[in-house]
Amino acid sequence: MRRKRNSAEPQTLVGMDSSSPLQPQISTYPLVAGGQRYRIEDVYPRVDEGRYPVKRVIGEPVEVWADIYRDGHDVLAAALIWRRETDREWQTEPMRFHSNDRWVGSFTPHATGRYEYAIEAWTEEFATWRHGMDLKLKAGSLTELDAMEGADLLTKAKKGSREALAIIERACDKFIQSGNSAHLLSDDLAEAMASSQERRDLTRSLLFPLIIDRPRARFGAWYEMVPRSQAKVPGQHGTFKDCIERLPDIAAMGFDVLYLPPIHPIGLKNRKGRNNAVRAEKGDPGSPYAIGSPAGGHDAVHPELGDIEDFRALVAECKRHRMEVALDFAVQCSLDHPWLKQHPNWFRHRPDGSIKYAENPPKRYEDIVNPDFASKDADEIWKALRDVILFWVAQGVQIFRVDNPHTKPFQFWEWLIKEVQHLHPDVIFLAEAFARPVLMKGLAKLGFTQSYTYFTWRTQRWELEQYLTELTGYPERDFFRPNFFVNTPDILPFHLQGGEPWMFKSRVTLAATLSATYGIYNGFELLEHEAIPGKEEYLNSEKYELKSRDWNQPGNIKEYIKQLNRARSENAALQQTNDLRFLNIEDGNVIGFVKRDLEQTNVVAIVIALSSEYHNFWLPLNDLTASRDGELHPVIAIQNVLTNEVHPLEWGGARVSIDPHRDPAAIFRCLT
Amino acid sequence: MRRKRNSAEPQTLVGMDSSSPLQPQISTYPLVAGGQRYRIEDVYPRVDEGRYPVKRVIGEPVEVWADIYRDGHDVLAAALIWRRETDREWQTEPMRFHSNDRWVGSFTPHATGRYEYAIEAWTEEFATWRHGMDLKLKAGSLTELDAMEGADLLTKAKKGSREALAIIERACDKFIQSGNSAHLLSDDLAEAMASSQERRDLTRSLLFPLIIDRPRARFGAWYEMVPRSQAKVPGQHGTFKDCIERLPDIAAMGFDVLYLPPIHPIGLKNRKGRNNAVRAEKGDPGSPYAIGSPAGGHDAVHPELGDIEDFRALVAECKRHRMEVALDFAVQCSLDHPWLKQHPNWFRHRPDGSIKYAENPPKRYEDIVNPDFASKDADEIWKALRDVILFWVAQGVQIFRVDNPHTKPFQFWEWLIKEVQHLHPDVIFLAEAFARPVLMKGLAKLGFTQSYTYFTWRTQRWELEQYLTELTGYPERDFFRPNFFVNTPDILPFHLQGGEPWMFKSRVTLAATLSATYGIYNGFELLEHEAIPGKEEYLNSEKYELKSRDWNQPGNIKEYIKQLNRARSENAALQQTNDLRFLNIEDGNVIGFVKRDLEQTNVVAIVIALSSEYHNFWLPLNDLTASRDGELHPVIAIQNVLTNEVHPLEWGGARVSIDPHRDPAAIFRCLT
């Protein structure tokens, strides 16, 4: 039942004008005997009382709960109204009473974009009368006058369909002719009246914003690849053509997103050398994060990689492999960026007239400068950066990994993401902020589709459980979508520096099963682990030099990753993050959890070793159910998705072994 | 440090106009490169994101917490601004950084009334520069240019006091003459710059409303007395003069508030008889809740009680005994109320033209009618009811117990309470709603000063602990002030029907120590307990007949109540509700808890028996501290406030006995 509707009087947050000095006098406060009889409170889902949007993916029902109440004993009705932000008309779904004063309703958007929803509540005058009639009938205290009051209501109902109005008229006539109140008590009439009478005391809640994303926003395996290292000949600068040749290998591992660090021209002035040396040696390629050279800026391609046509070919070829390209969006400019000459006002100058390069005292970044968001021309900077994104969208890019967003104004990102998604609602933004929790959540709230996380450093069972409980709890689950990276060009965590295969497998399984979106930075599959001593950083970082690798070198875990990604694609339970329950396994060095898809037809139990010894333990799965043929059944067995081995459940669980030196994890499908 | 300030750009809840159909085009969203660089979130205290006021009493500090953040590494400052709603100017208190992104500040209003507060955050440009200088000095990378940037900032600071501007000018001159950057790094200069430079990126949070009540709103012992039963001669109708003669007895017990059920003329038509009989016998006095007769309505006094001068005398005499009168405010009218003739439009009429009396099907209340809040003249009803309150305020009444507020529109109460408190901020409203939790909390949120509670029926330790944990938790503690009644004219709970003295004492101690405000209905002190069989109601209810009692009858517990109220008045810890911690006593039939006053100078431990047998148990008081001479000290002994007996603490506690047949409770003052 979906009806188009007009607007009603909205609830306001602040009831009075507090700016004028009030004289002590009577009737200072607005007297609104008519409006807002209903209170609509504790609405779920909502983020900061509707200040920020809730996030869902397409096809996922948006279930809305609220406390709805008014004074007295009258019968109330409530509806959920919703629309795309660009629509004029509201769509309507009825809400149903749950318990006490709690109501629930749901709607399912089938297009990506920005939406808003609200709740309307009103008094059902006829249902109130009918409820009283029922009670009086039972008490034997019904009078003719009671019936006449109901008939009176019939004569006032004028808004319904022709059919409804006919039912009402017929009931009215029959009652007048016979005086028999039974004619007023039929279910047909009650339904006709519900749709035909005035919605008395109609009250509307605040509006709550909502973003509907495409499924990739929630589920995807990311592969970070540095294009210039993809040449087959060691020492040669890789090109987009080389990248294309690498695609079958990456696609075979089951990745969905090919993420490239910046592909733009690299500055020459103050260029960084190998291992972040202040001075580059001849031939050093520089950091791709020093964007801009005489060859162009943010909307250009580094000439050594190829040209824009080559890039478009890479995008197209990725598509053929069911992958898509994600680009890095880093706001800073090298000292050779065209903007420095074109728009000197966009940058901050020092008392001697020089441009102020980036710094975070006492650190100085002599090879880059940041646009000055406090500049008088900041509006132009905002627009130019938006246009950079729109340019790459026009080249077929729909995913952007944003570098260090927490060092640029939050209101800028909020605006930029809205602007881009208004035209291109399928565009995904990943926030690369490894910052304080409040900042990371703030970026997710303002609109970033996905976020980097602290997962990279969380290794103990208690801290993994605590962190995931936080991310999948309220309200975080409604706005923060984690993307679990096991490593990045900047981060080689201590636990990987031993190069043990079981640890690499354990980490990638944790990432790929705890979070629906995860990623690896290339070299992980080869167990690369040479660190700067005492630091969680790669020695000879690819950020400052070309790398050459044997992508099939012995000991690689590509086959393991392939199987992992296949399990993800075959089990809907692993394509979402929030339905997660940890299992109480006695062995503290094994983490176990259950995930379920929305319909609960796919229920998966996962166990992962956090230490290298052999583990034999009891897997408690008491009371676990799964849906089959539309009904919930108890789980009676679990099946290893790799080996197909079946363990029947006995005494509510099963005894399971893990040998980390073979496979540090097991994924079980639950059978009913 | 308190400064007067002007307003700044406020944060808004919804950033865009969503009513116009948006065409897909660029720059749809407002581009505000300048404003709202700060995010101010998770503000505490707040109720429903500022929709409803937080409550405090006069002299109590309002401590405000918030997450405050922006992008980047600049030094920020924040202030708490606040004012009475009727003031134009804001007062300002600095906020200080706590940890991560959390800030805290506090202010203390010294007058009752409605206030509002907000948070402002801005960037300290000079402090940011100075912080960078410190780091560069340590790193030895300071340049002359760095110093010049600081000097540049000095020349822009123009807003400070004459003294501050002089400090700045002097520093600037010295630096220019000497080139020595030390002149720019003094603490004096930093302070002068903080007050003199422009507050860059100034962002203001939402406004949060606040009610400051007088102390009686939080702390008071209520005695409910039916005036017409106070005659000395049995069968005679009591008068206000009789009431005055009762005052010394009630004051001696230590009560603060004398609460009277309605004192207005009582209707004759359909008057109720004894025990709620539909038909009154000759001489039956009727229910005082059937308000109105030819002698007058809500602003008149029942002639048999006396006249308005007699009532004023009662009010004055109460004051002499350090008590005050609370009146009942019941909206309904008897069929003889003058309003029925004066304002027929205020009432609902049935199809036969008769006035519709009150009903909650199948129950009918034939002796009363309710004003129709859906009437076209509802505005007049609102004003007339407000004027009733104002009339009684003019007679010296400052406390109103509102009968059944949940059956009248919530927006009406919100308006009425604001209207009355705007003129008379010391007026207290107690909501008598025994309804669903959401409704009871809704009434407290909209402005009722105090609320009746479910305490009356909570007898088990777990349910008392659970209920108090809810009421003293967040956000309830900020808006819901409980008033724990042990009985009412309508409620004689099952646990009192046995008439056991230990149970009466246990219940009144629970009420008087768990909640800072509590009450008894007269007769409780005499252990009255005759019920309608099977119901939690009094037989021969005083609501429908005159009662005559011997107020000193043997077995009364007046002396016990007197001691209890004295303990309350002597221990500030018992004058507040929210600082409450339950103790883990092994005996499940003893409840124990600790309360502390704001300064923690008065710390009290209370144990109360919930069953009649002798209890001997370990009272665990580990880690308990109290403040003395401004410092916290460990508690080393506890002293019974009645017997003065001292128990030294050993092994973090003490062994304690309770014999409920002597005293079912003990109150201990903690000694350091």
Side-chain angles (χ1 to χ4, degrees):
Chain A
M1 192 186 85
R2 195 170 289 177
R3 286 174 284 157
K4 298 281 175 102
R5 306 219 18 278
N6 290 320
S7 62
E9 181 182 3
Q11 279 188 337
T12 50
L13 256 199
V14 177
M16 54 163 295
D17 170 19
S18 57
S19 63
S20 65
L22 303 172
Q23 296 308 313
Q25 63 184 25
I26 290 188
S27 282
T28 295
Y29 294 92
L31 194 160
V32 281
Q36 301 188 12
R37 188 146 194 170
Y38 283 89
R39 307 272 151 150
I40 302 171
E41 298 178 351
D42 201 12
V43 174
Y44 164 84
R46 71 181 198 279
V47 178
D48 287 10
E49 209 66 17
R51 166 66 181 83
Y52 297 107
V54 162
K55 295 185 186 119
R56 292 286 184 275
V57 298
I58 201 166
E60 192 177 14
V62 182
E63 195 171 82
V64 179
W65 295 77
D67 286 342
I68 305 175
Y69 62 97
R70 55 158 277 172
D71 55 294
H73 309 283
D74 286 12
V75 175
L76 72 96
L80 188 52
I81 62 170
W82 60 287
R83 65 181 176 189
R84 270 194 82 154
E85 210 184 65
T86 46
D87 288 346
R88 206 182 263 278
E89 303 282 345
W90 291 98
Q91 309 218 50
T92 300
E93 298 292 340
M95 294 186 81
R96 65 180 172 76
F97 176 71
H98 181 259
S99 62
N100 260 347
D101 296 281
R102 201 85 182 138
W103 290 69
V104 60
S106 134
F107 65 96
T108 307
H110 292 286
T112 53
R114 289 193 177 242
Y115 290 75
E116 53 193 2
Y117 58 91
I119 290 166
E120 288 184 342
W122 64 93
T123 305
E124 291 265 26
E125 217 166 354
F126 186 74
T128 301
W129 169 85
R130 190 176 183 243
H131 179 64
M133 287 290 281
D134 283 348
L135 295 169
K136 288 174 186 170
L137 263 174
K138 277 182 199 142
S141 63
L142 201 66
T143 66
E144 198 184 332
L145 216 47
D146 289 318
M148 280 172 61
E149 284 176 334
D152 232 34
L153 293 175
L154 299 194
T155 64
K156 289 179 194 151
K158 306 226 149 74
K159 305 182 98 183
S161 65
R162 195 189 300 183
E163 295 76 14
L165 293 175
I167 290 169
I168 293 165
E169 204 180 327
R170 208 156 48 236
C172 205
D173 289 348
K174 281 191 184 167
F175 169 69
I176 290 167
Q177 286 159 20
S178 67
N180 182 352
S181 64
H183 293 298
L184 304 176
L185 297 172
S186 76
D187 290 344
D188 278 5
L189 178 62
E191 204 174 300
M193 283 296 288
S195 66
S196 304
Q197 71 193 331
E198 188 104 32
R199 300 194 298 164
R200 196 152 59 80
D201 307 321
L202 181 62
T203 306
R204 180 183 290 181
S205 73
L206 293 172
L207 297 184
F208 298 94
L210 168 71
I211 291 178
I212 297 294
D213 286 308
R214 59 191 174 111
R216 183 62 68 231
R218 193 175 67 178
F219 171 66
W222 289 47
Y223 186 82
E224 177 168 4
M225 184 180 85
V226 180
R228 67 186 182 191
S229 292
Q230 304 309 317
K232 280 185 183 153
V233 180
Q236 222 172 49
H237 197 287
T239 65
F240 290 133
K241 290 201 174 85
D242 293 323
C243 293
I244 288 172
E245 293 195 33
R246 283 271 289 128
L247 294 184
D249 186 42
I250 298 162
M253 280 189 277
F255 286 100
D256 307 299
V257 176
L258 181 73
Y259 152 46
L260 313 178
I263 56 169
H264 315 299
I266 296 171
L268 282 160
K269 202 181 286 175
N270 292 350
R271 176 179 279 194
K272 290 288 174 91
R274 289 163 184 246
N275 284 308
N276 202 15
V278 175
R279 195 176 295 259
E281 302 293 323
K282 192 171 150 54
D284 282 351
S287 164
Y289 289 90
I291 295 170
S293 84
H298 283 77
D299 54 0
V301 159
H302 189 53
E304 294 189 72
L305 290 170
D307 60 19
I308 194 78
E309 292 306 326
D310 296 333
F311 177 73
R312 281 211 205 97
L314 173 61
V315 170
E317 203 59 23
C318 267
K319 208 170 199 171
R320 226 173 52 77
H321 284 94
R322 294 168 186 250
M323 292 197 291
E324 58 179 306
V325 167
L327 278 195
D328 213 316
F329 184 57
V331 167
Q332 68 267 15
C333 302
S334 83
L335 301 172
D336 303 310
H337 196 292
W339 285 348
L340 271 70
K341 279 191 187 145
Q342 291 163 8
H343 308 285
N345 283 345
W346 293 6
F347 301 90
R348 203 161 147 198
H349 290 76
R350 312 198 71 184
D352 68 348
S354 65
I355 282 184
K356 192 173 173 71
Y357 46 72
E359 62 172 11
N360 179 16
K363 286 191 229 166
R364 298 173 185 251
Y365 303 100
E366 296 89 346
D367 59 338
I368 51 169
V369 295
N370 278 314
D372 178 16
F373 283 94
S375 146
K376 279 178 189 159
D377 296 335
D379 283 17
E380 291 175 20
I381 299 173
W382 285 34
K383 287 180 190 160
L385 290 169
R386 175 201 59 199
D387 291 343
V388 167
I389 297 283
L390 293 177
F391 172 83
W392 291 107
V393 171
Q395 313 311 316
V397 178
Q398 297 257 46
I399 306 182
F400 296 88
R401 176 268 199 195
V402 177
D403 189 64
N404 264 333
H406 56 295
T407 57
K408 288 93 204 171
F410 281 51
Q411 76 268 35
F412 161 68
W413 294 119
E414 191 169 14
W415 172 85
L416 176 128
I417 293 171
K418 274 186 181 176
E419 284 276 296
V420 172
Q421 289 185 340
H422 183 62
L423 293 170
H424 307 289
D426 285 351
V427 172
I428 288 169
F429 291 91
L430 164 63
E432 189 263 350
F434 293 107
R436 303 186 301 279
V438 167
L439 272 76
M440 292 177 66
K441 290 181 188 173
L443 291 164
K445 284 199 280 195
L446 68 79
F448 276 93
T449 321
Q450 299 181 352
S451 305
Y452 277 68
T453 70
Y454 304 139
F455 165 77
T456 316
W457 300 276
R458 295 286 178 271
T459 57
Q460 302 301 303
R461 174 164 144 183
W462 69 267
E463 60 182 4
L464 285 164
E465 290 185 355
Q466 193 182 64
Y467 190 44
L468 267 296
T469 300
E470 176 187 335
L471 296 185
T472 61
Y474 300 99
E476 282 81 356
R477 65 187 292 154
D478 287 323
F479 66 82
F480 191 96
R481 289 206 197 93
N483 188 335
F484 277 8
F485 264 81
V486 288
N487 65 332
T488 78
D490 289 316
I491 309 167
L492 172 61
F494 286 127
H495 53 265
L496 294 181
Q497 296 185 12
E500 300 148 288
W502 79 266
M503 177 59 94
F504 277 72
K505 290 180 185 173
S506 170
R507 291 301 295 173
V508 72
T509 314
L510 286 168
T513 55
L514 283 170
S515 174
T517 299
Y518 84 104
I520 70 170
Y521 153 58
N522 65 191
F524 181 89
E525 70 273 37
L526 307 180
L527 313 188
E528 281 182 2
H529 61 275
E530 206 179 357
I532 297 174
K535 291 197 171 186
E536 295 194 298
E537 287 177 38
Y538 284 93
L539 187 66
N540 305 322
S541 167
E542 198 165 6
K543 278 173 72 179
Y544 308 106
E545 60 190 84
L546 306 182
K547 285 273 182 192
S548 176
R549 299 174 173 98
D550 172 4
W551 295 108
N552 293 309
Q553 78 183 36
N556 76 64
I557 57 166
K558 286 161 68 179
E559 188 60 27
Y560 185 86
I561 292 170
K562 178 180 177 174
Q563 288 172 345
L564 186 59
N565 282 331
R566 189 189 298 141
R568 284 166 46 89
S569 70
E570 289 174 357
N571 290 281
L574 298 176
Q575 295 167 17
Q576 58 78 40
T577 302
N578 289 334
D579 193 322
L580 169 71
R581 183 160 64 83
F582 288 102
L583 298 171
N584 189 15
I585 295 171
E586 262 194 48
D587 183 340
N589 287 320
V590 175
I591 191 169
F593 47 94
V594 168
K595 298 190 94 171
R596 304 178 304 180
D597 70 344
L598 192 67
E599 291 78 25
Q600 304 190 21
T601 49
N602 181 240
V603 179
V604 166
I606 294 126
V607 289
I608 304 170
L610 303 176
S611 65
S612 63
E613 73 274 14
Y614 182 83
H615 299 277
N616 180 278
F617 54 91
W618 180 252
L619 182 63
L621 294 171
N622 313 51
D623 306 326
L624 198 61
T625 57
S627 181
R628 178 166 42 80
D629 309 327
E631 271 181 45
L632 283 179
H633 299 271
V635 171
I636 57 169
I638 54 174
Q639 181 174 30
N640 189 310
V641 301
L642 278 191
T643 64
N644 285 326
E645 195 183 348
V646 171
H647 304 256
L649 294 200
E650 291 180 89
W651 305 104
R655 189 148 279 281
V656 170
S657 302
I658 299 181
D659 177 2
H661 294 292
R662 281 184 54 220
D663 263 342
I667 301 174
F668 298 105
R669 196 179 292 115
C670 295
L671 309 177
T672 58
Chain B
M1 191 186 86
R2 193 171 290 175
R3 287 176 282 155
K4 296 283 176 100
R5 304 219 21 280
N6 290 319
S7 60
E9 182 183 3
Q11 276 188 337
T12 51
L13 254 202
V14 177
M16 53 163 295
D17 171 17
S18 58
S19 63
S20 65
L22 303 172
Q23 296 308 312
Q25 63 182 27
I26 289 187
S27 281
T28 294
Y29 294 92
L31 194 160
V32 281
Q36 302 188 12
R37 189 148 194 169
Y38 283 89
R39 307 272 150 154
I40 302 170
E41 297 178 352
D42 199 14
V43 174
Y44 164 84
R46 71 181 197 279
V47 178
D48 287 10
E49 210 63 18
R51 166 66 180 84
Y52 297 106
V54 162
K55 295 184 185 119
R56 291 288 185 273
V57 297
I58 202 167
E60 193 177 14
V62 182
E63 196 172 82
V64 179
W65 294 78
D67 285 344
I68 304 176
Y69 62 99
R70 55 158 279 171
D71 55 292
H73 308 284
D74 287 11
V75 175
L76 71 94
L80 186 53
I81 61 170
W82 61 287
R83 64 180 177 190
R84 270 194 83 154
E85 209 184 67
T86 45
D87 288 347
R88 206 183 260 280
E89 302 282 346
W90 290 100
Q91 310 217 48
T92 300
E93 298 291 339
M95 291 185 84
R96 64 182 173 77
F97 177 70
H98 180 258
S99 62
N100 261 346
D101 297 281
R102 202 87 182 133
W103 290 68
V104 60
S106 130
F107 64 95
T108 307
H110 292 286
T112 56
R114 289 193 176 243
Y115 289 76
E116 52 193 3
Y117 57 92
I119 290 166
E120 288 184 343
W122 64 95
T123 305
E124 291 264 26
E125 219 166 352
F126 187 75
T128 301
W129 168 85
R130 189 173 185 247
H131 180 64
M133 287 288 280
D134 283 346
L135 295 169
K136 288 174 187 171
L137 262 175
K138 277 183 201 144
S141 64
L142 200 65
T143 67
E144 197 185 334
L145 216 45
D146 290 318
M148 279 174 63
E149 283 176 334
D152 231 33
L153 292 174
L154 298 194
T155 64
K156 289 180 194 150
K158 307 225 147 80
K159 304 181 98 185
S161 64
R162 193 188 299 183
E163 293 76 16
L165 293 175
I167 291 169
I168 294 165
E169 205 179 323
R170 208 156 47 235
C172 205
D173 290 348
K174 283 190 182 166
F175 170 70
I176 289 167
Q177 287 161 19
S178 67
N180 181 355
S181 62
H183 293 299
L184 303 175
L185 295 171
S186 76
D187 291 342
D188 277 5
L189 178 62
E191 202 174 302
M193 282 298 287
S195 65
S196 303
Q197 70 193 334
E198 188 108 30
R199 299 191 299 163
R200 196 152 58 80
D201 307 321
L202 181 62
T203 306
R204 180 183 291 182
S205 73
L206 293 173
L207 297 184
F208 297 93
L210 167 72
I211 291 178
I212 297 294
D213 286 309
R214 60 192 171 110
R216 182 65 66 233
R218 191 174 70 177
F219 170 65
W222 290 46
Y223 186 82
E224 177 170 4
M225 183 180 86
V226 181
R228 69 187 182 189
S229 293
Q230 306 309 318
K232 281 187 180 146
V233 181
Q236 221 170 53
H237 197 287
T239 64
F240 290 134
K241 291 202 173 83
D242 293 323
C243 293
I244 289 172
E245 292 196 32
R246 285 271 288 126
L247 294 184
D249 187 43
I250 298 163
M253 279 190 279
F255 285 100
D256 308 300
V257 176
L258 181 72
Y259 152 46
L260 312 177
I263 56 169
H264 316 299
I266 296 172
L268 281 159
K269 204 182 281 177
N270 292 348
R271 175 179 279 196
K272 291 288 175 88
R274 286 162 184 249
N275 283 306
N276 202 14
V278 176
R279 195 176 293 262
E281 302 292 323
K282 190 170 153 51
D284 280 352
S287 162
Y289 288 90
I291 295 169
S293 82
H298 282 76
D299 54 2
V301 158
H302 189 53
E304 294 189 72
L305 290 171
D307 59 21
I308 193 78
E309 293 306 326
D310 296 332
F311 177 74
R312 281 211 205 97
L314 172 61
V315 170
E317 202 60 20
C318 268
K319 207 167 197 173
R320 226 173 53 79
H321 285 94
R322 292 166 187 251
M323 293 198 290
E324 59 178 306
V325 168
L327 278 194
D328 212 317
F329 183 56
V331 167
Q332 69 266 16
C333 301
S334 83
L335 302 171
D336 303 310
H337 196 292
W339 284 349
L340 271 72
K341 280 192 186 141
Q342 291 163 8
H343 307 288
N345 283 346
W346 291 7
F347 301 91
R348 203 161 150 201
H349 291 78
R350 312 198 71 185
D352 67 349
S354 65
I355 281 185
K356 192 171 174 72
Y357 46 70
E359 63 172 11
N360 180 15
K363 286 192 228 165
R364 296 174 187 252
Y365 305 98
E366 295 91 344
D367 59 337
I368 51 168
V369 295
N370 277 315
D372 178 16
F373 282 94
S375 147
K376 281 178 187 158
D377 296 335
D379 283 16
E380 292 175 17
I381 299 173
W382 286 34
K383 287 181 191 160
L385 290 170
R386 175 200 60 197
D387 292 343
V388 167
I389 297 283
L390 293 178
F391 173 83
W392 291 107
V393 171
Q395 312 312 314
V397 178
Q398 297 256 49
I399 305 183
F400 297 88
R401 177 269 198 193
V402 177
D403 189 64
N404 264 332
H406 57 295
T407 58
K408 288 94 204 171
F410 281 50
Q411 77 269 35
F412 161 67
W413 294 120
E414 193 169 13
W415 172 85
L416 177 129
I417 293 170
K418 274 185 181 175
E419 284 276 297
V420 172
Q421 289 184 339
H422 183 61
L423 293 171
H424 307 287
D426 284 350
V427 173
I428 288 169
F429 291 91
L430 164 64
E432 188 263 351
F434 292 108
R436 303 186 301 278
V438 168
L439 272 77
M440 290 176 67
K441 289 180 188 172
L443 291 163
K445 285 198 279 196
L446 68 79
F448 276 93
T449 321
Q450 300 181 350
S451 304
Y452 277 68
T453 70
Y454 303 140
F455 165 77
T456 316
W457 299 277
R458 296 287 178 272
T459 56
Q460 302 300 304
R461 175 165 142 182
W462 68 267
E463 59 182 4
L464 284 164
E465 290 183 354
Q466 194 183 63
Y467 190 46
L468 267 296
T469 300
E470 176 187 336
L471 296 185
T472 60
Y474 299 100
E476 282 80 357
R477 65 186 294 155
D478 286 324
F479 66 82
F480 191 95
R481 289 205 196 95
N483 187 336
F484 277 8
F485 264 82
V486 288
N487 67 330
T488 80
D490 288 317
I491 309 168
L492 172 61
F494 286 127
H495 53 265
L496 293 182
Q497 295 184 11
E500 298 149 289
W502 80 266
M503 175 61 92
F504 276 71
K505 290 180 186 171
S506 170
R507 292 300 296 173
V508 72
T509 313
L510 286 168
T513 56
L514 283 169
S515 174
T517 299
Y518 84 103
I520 71 169
Y521 153 58
N522 64 191
F524 181 90
E525 71 273 37
L526 309 180
L527 313 188
E528 280 182 3
H529 60 276
E530 206 179 357
I532 298 173
K535 292 197 169 184
E536 295 193 298
E537 288 176 37
Y538 283 92
L539 188 66
N540 305 322
S541 166
E542 198 166 6
K543 276 173 73 178
Y544 309 105
E545 59 190 85
L546 307 182
K547 284 272 184 194
S548 177
R549 297 173 173 98
D550 171 3
W551 295 106
N552 293 310
Q553 79 182 35
N556 74 65
I557 57 167
K558 286 160 69 177
E559 188 59 28
Y560 185 87
I561 292 171
K562 178 180 175 174
Q563 288 171 345
L564 186 59
N565 282 331
R566 189 189 298 142
R568 284 164 48 89
S569 69
E570 289 173 357
N571 288 281
L574 298 176
Q575 295 167 18
Q576 59 78 40
T577 302
N578 289 334
D579 192 320
L580 169 71
R581 182 162 63 83
F582 287 104
L583 298 172
N584 190 14
I585 295 172
E586 263 195 47
D587 182 339
N589 287 320
V590 175
I591 190 169
F593 46 94
V594 167
K595 299 191 94 171
R596 303 180 304 181
D597 69 345
L598 191 67
E599 289 79 24
Q600 304 190 24
T601 48
N602 181 242
V603 179
V604 167
I606 295 128
V607 289
I608 304 170
L610 303 176
S611 65
S612 63
E613 73 273 14
Y614 182 83
H615 300 277
N616 180 277
F617 54 92
W618 180 254
L619 181 64
L621 294 170
N622 312 49
D623 306 326
L624 198 60
T625 56
S627 182
R628 177 165 43 80
D629 308 327
E631 272 182 45
L632 282 180
H633 299 271
V635 171
I636 56 167
I638 54 175
Q639 181 174 32
N640 188 310
V641 301
L642 277 191
T643 65
N644 285 326
E645 197 183 345
V646 172
H647 304 257
L649 294 200
E650 289 178 274
W651 304 102
R655 188 147 280 280
V656 170
S657 302
I658 299 182
D659 178 1
H661 293 293
R662 282 183 55 221
D663 262 342
I667 301 174
F668 298 105
R669 195 178 294 114
C670 294
L671 309 178
T672 58

